[in-house]
Amino acid sequence: MAKTPSAENNASSTTPPAGKGRPTPTRAEREAANRRPLVPATKEARQAARADLRARQERARIGMANGEEKYLPVRDKGPQKKFARDFTDAGWHLGEFLMPMMVLVIVATFIPLAATQFWSFIVLWIFILFAVGDMFILSRRVKTLAAEKFGGKDKLEKGLGWYAAMRSVQMRFMRLPKPQVKRGHYPAA
C-alpha cells in the first residue's frame, strides 16, 4: 500500500521529532545570556546597597563593642578570652596610665631646665619598668586562674596571658570590645 502525502503528515505530527529541534548553544552564547552586572545598575539600587552595607557595618560595630561573640574578631572569640578580658577589666593596672604619663613627660620637656627634663625621663622609665612588671604579674594570674577554671594548663589557648597584658596597657575607655564588668567585680574562677 502506498502512502499518500496526507498520511505522511499525519504520521509525523503524532511522533515527536528526533533531537531538540534547535542547535546547541555555544559556550559564548550561554555566558552572554547569564551575564549580569556585578554592581547595581541604577542610582536607586546603588543607594539602597550602600545604605544596607552601612546598616550591617553599624550593627557589627555595635555588636563588637558589646562583646557579642558573633561579631568579635577571631583573636577575641571564646570563653577563655572573655575570662581574660573580664579579669583585666575588673582591676586597675599601671599600663592604663602609660599614655598620660608620656604626655606629662612631653610637657616637661618644654621646661627649659635640663634637670627637669632629665628627671622626667628617669621617672618615665621607672614607671615603664613597673608597668611591665604589672603586665607580667597579670599575665601569670590570668593563666593560673584560667587553668583552674577551664581544666588545666594543657587546655589553655596560646597567648592568653599576652592577650590580658596587652589589654591592660590600653586605657579602659579605648578598649574593644568595651569592658563588660565594673572595676572590682572579678569573674569567678
Side-chain angles (χ1 to χ4, degrees), residues 107-117:
V107 169
T109 59
F110 289 117
I111 298 173
L113 298 171
T116 306
Q117 295 173 357

Side-chain angles (χ1 to χ4, degrees), residues 31-144:
E31 287 176 354
N34 288 334
R35 189 165 289 142
R36 287 178 212 88
L38 293 176
V39 293
T42 65
K43 184 176 181 181
E44 294 80 22
R46 281 193 302 269
Q47 288 175 343
R50 249 187 259 124
D52 181 49
L53 177 65
R54 273 194 300 272
R56 282 187 283 130
Q57 287 174 336
E58 181 65 15
R59 176 66 191 121
R61 186 189 65 76
I62 291 170
M64 186 178 130
N66 291 334
E68 293 178 33
E69 194 76 17
K70 174 181 172 184
Y71 298 106
L72 291 176
V74 175
R75 66 154 198 210
D76 294 324
K77 284 187 178 183
Q80 292 182 16
K81 296 289 177 86
K82 181 170 178 24
F83 174 78
R85 275 196 309 272
D86 289 347
F87 191 85
T88 303
D89 294 339
W92 290 91
H93 304 285
L94 291 175
E96 295 177 55
F97 304 105
L98 204 51
M99 282 297 205
M101 185 65 124
M102 288 182 180
V103 170
L104 288 174
V105 168
I106 290 172
V107 169
T109 59
F110 289 117
I111 298 173
L113 298 171
T116 306
Q117 295 173 357
F118 174 77
W119 286 108
S120 65
F121 279 109
I122 296 297
V123 168
L124 176 65
W125 279 108
I126 291 171
F127 186 81
I128 288 173
L129 288 175
F130 278 111
V132 169
D134 183 44
M135 290 169 60
F136 179 75
I137 292 168
L138 173 68
S139 173
R140 301 287 297 206
R141 284 185 68 197
V142 165
K143 286 194 275 188
T144 302

Side-chain angles (χ1 to χ4, degrees), residues 149-183:
K149 182 173 182 163
F150 296 105
K153 290 198 180 276
D154 56 325
K155 295 186 180 178
L156 287 183
E157 291 181 29
K158 281 192 169 285
L160 194 62
W162 180 254
Y163 178 75
M166 287 296 102
R167 189 166 173 88
S168 74
V169 174
Q170 299 169 346
M171 287 186 272
R172 186 176 167 92
F173 69 91
M174 295 178 73
R175 296 177 184 165
L176 274 179
K178 297 285 183 198
Q180 304 296 313
V181 296
K182 293 182 179 180
R183 290 202 195 260

